[in-house]
Amino acid sequence: LTSGHAKRGLFTGQDFVYDAERDHYTCPAGQHLTKGAARSDRRAEGDAMDHYRNLTACLDCALKPRCTPTETRRVKRWVHEGVLDAMQARLDRMPDAMKIRRQTVEHPFGTLKAWMGATHFLTRTLAKVRTEMSLQVLAYNMKRMIQIFGVGPLLAAIRA
């Protein structure tokens, strides 16, 4: 959704429909864009994008002026995009799921933030911040268990 194609009057990625079974995109003209091999010398370290195109159909396509200013249209797809699609499908089936999730996690994070003085972490470097956060979460969980079970049953469970 970050492309400037819409501002220039060109088709956006939303106009191309992905078919997971056949592993290709269908363009607005009805042509199929298939996965092409990316040159290894142009591929960045950790680049996990597949490139889809149709070299022959783009050459004499009537919709080409609305599709791309270049010779052919290429559509990029993250190799793990299927995970995002599955998540979006679940959210479409259960629109209240994010509202419930937000309510569930906001209380612990709000509490932790208040304990920390509604400020930043006191340590530096990722390893130390992870440790600080882990200690905060441990303290939060211990306080919750004391509230739910009480001190006696909690100590008995720890000893067991």
Side-chain angles (χ1 to χ4, degrees), residues 41-156:
D41 60 335
R42 292 212 176 155
R43 188 167 265 214
E45 181 88 17
D47 181 19
M49 302 295 276
D50 288 329
H51 301 265
Y52 295 81
R53 78 264 192 272
N54 188 329
L55 299 174
T56 55
C58 288
L59 294 176
D60 54 346
C61 180
L63 297 177
K64 185 177 176 185
R66 292 188 52 213
C67 191
T68 182
T70 62
E71 197 171 312
T72 59
R73 176 68 185 251
R74 287 186 301 262
V75 177
K76 290 182 180 181
R77 181 177 175 84
W78 184 41
V79 294
H80 302 296
E81 190 108 9
V83 174
L84 299 178
D85 293 341
M87 180 190 68
Q88 188 61 51
R90 282 194 310 272
L91 286 175
D92 291 343
R93 284 193 312 272
M94 303 180 305
D96 291 339
M98 283 305 292
K99 184 178 177 183
I100 294 167
R101 175 76 176 191
R102 232 178 267 119
Q103 291 171 350
T104 305
V105 301
E106 282 300 321
H107 181 265
F109 280 108
T111 303
L112 289 172
K113 195 171 178 180
W115 286 356
M116 294 173 67
T119 184
H120 51 79
F121 288 98
L122 300 176
T123 57
R124 292 177 193 247
T125 74
L126 189 56
K128 293 176 183 175
V129 168
R130 275 193 190 124
T131 303
E132 184 178 350
M133 186 65 190
S134 295
L135 289 170
Q136 291 280 355
V137 170
L138 178 63
Y140 176 83
N141 288 336
M142 294 294 286
K143 283 183 81 168
R144 290 286 294 145
M145 292 299 106
I146 289 170
Q147 288 174 344
I148 293 169
F149 297 115
V151 175
L154 180 62
L155 288 175

